[in-house]
Amino acid sequence: MAKESNCERILENINAVPRLRQAQVFLLQEVAGEPGKPSVAEQVAAKLGYSVVFASEAENVHDRGLAILSVYPLTDLSIRRLPEYDQRFHSRRRFAIAATAHLPTGDIRVWNTHLDTRLNAAQRLGQLRPVIEEAARFKGPRLIGGDFNTNDLYWIGNVFPFPWYGPAHTASVRKAMHEKGFQTPFNSGVVTFSTFRRQLDWLFMAQLQSLACSVEPVAFSDHHAIWSSLRLPN
């Protein structure tokens, strides 16, 4: 959300993009808020009439939360802390949240996460692995998404980037997901971060079929949104 904290601007931006305006589930990262007040994601959910689950990175951090919004009821919020890596500067306590969306035709378990930027492929997979393993243990339709920061760079000391050196992040993540039964409709090298023309953001699913997918620029974010229409199994 690029730390956007104005609920009305966010709603205007969502309404300006037809596919976001029609979305029934949102996975939001870098959710901002103020001490003692609902986060901007909770404000947006209230305006839309959606259910919402939200968690902040830490008690005293008010601009790096995660949220899931859904037109369907959400229950069973869980928060999982992820492995931490020394980023030398701007280190964060990465985590994932999960909740169950109760659709009229069945339940979907949904995970949302935001990974570190300056990681190499093995570290990135190590940070994501607890989410993959947890999701693999669930039965029924599942969705994992968020900002994975798959920048396909090699980082020396988690500070200095070198392009086209070392294992590709995207290939490593897709392989690990596929091994646990998760597929993605975004296999064609789409761009979600225009500055460096990278795909940082992902959706992976199990026992769900993607009918269509796209990348949608949205003004409240420094990334493009990824969107998919999904179908539950019969």
Side-chain angles (χ1 to χ4, degrees):
M1 301 187 79
K3 304 184 179 71
E4 175 61 70
S5 59
N6 185 290
C7 174
E8 296 304 324
R9 279 200 295 269
I10 292 168
L11 287 168
E12 288 175 5
N13 297 162
I14 289 173
N15 286 327
V17 182
R19 281 177 167 165
L20 296 189
R21 186 170 64 243
Q22 298 163 6
Q24 297 175 322
V25 177
F26 289 91
L27 308 184
L28 301 176
Q29 303 85 41
E30 289 196 338
V31 177
E34 298 179 30
K37 296 183 180 180
S39 70
V40 67
E42 292 166 302
Q43 295 174 44
V44 169
K47 292 281 189 179
L48 293 174
Y50 279 28
S51 297
V52 59
V53 293
F54 167 79
S56 59
E57 178 182 307
E59 184 176 356
N60 60 342
V61 177
H62 305 292
D63 62 354
R64 299 201 293 266
L66 296 174
I68 302 171
L69 281 64
S70 175
V71 69
Y72 308 108
L74 293 170
T75 63
D76 302 322
L77 169 66
S78 67
I79 301 169
R80 175 176 286 276
R81 296 291 169 184
L82 303 181
E84 296 181 25
Y85 294 94
D86 183 2
Q87 297 283 282
R88 310 295 178 178
F89 58 93
H90 297 315
S91 292
R92 298 184 180 185
R93 298 181 62 191
R94 298 297 185 177
F95 67 107
I97 63 173
T100 300
H102 299 280
L103 283 66
T105 50
D107 294 346
I108 301 176
R109 188 68 177 171
V110 182
W111 284 260
N112 180 22
T113 192
H114 187 183
L115 306 183
D116 279 322
T117 301
R118 301 186 308 276
L119 296 179
N120 292 322
Q123 293 175 319
R124 187 167 312 287
L125 192 54
Q127 195 166 63
L128 183 60
R129 181 72 69 181
V131 177
I132 301 174
E133 297 293 341
E134 180 179 288
R137 290 193 292 271
F138 274 77
K139 305 299 181 184
R142 286 150 286 164
L143 177 70
I144 302 173
D147 178 2
F148 292 5
N149 270 314
T150 43
N151 52 68
D152 283 345
L153 298 172
Y154 183 80
W155 296 88
I156 295 181
N158 298 102
V159 175
F160 302 105
F162 282 80
W164 309 298
Y165 182 83
H169 300 208
T170 52
S172 298
V173 168
R174 281 202 300 260
K175 181 175 184 292
M177 286 285 190
H178 291 175
E179 287 173 350
K180 294 296 183 177
F182 291 89
Q183 308 294 326
T184 180
F186 297 95
N187 284 318
S188 57
V190 300
V191 173
T192 67
F193 188 63
S194 296
T195 303
F196 298 110
R197 298 197 58 78
R198 306 285 181 177
Q199 181 178 354
L200 306 184
D201 309 275
W202 292 88
L203 291 172
F204 286 90
M205 57 206 68
Q207 298 184 40
L208 288 165
Q209 181 185 1
S210 176
L211 304 178
C213 65
S214 63
V215 176
E216 304 288 339
V218 57
F220 67 73
S221 179
D222 57 341
H223 294 207
H224 301 325
I226 53 174
W227 170 92
S228 182
S229 173
L230 305 178
R231 184 169 65 184
L232 285 161
N234 295 328

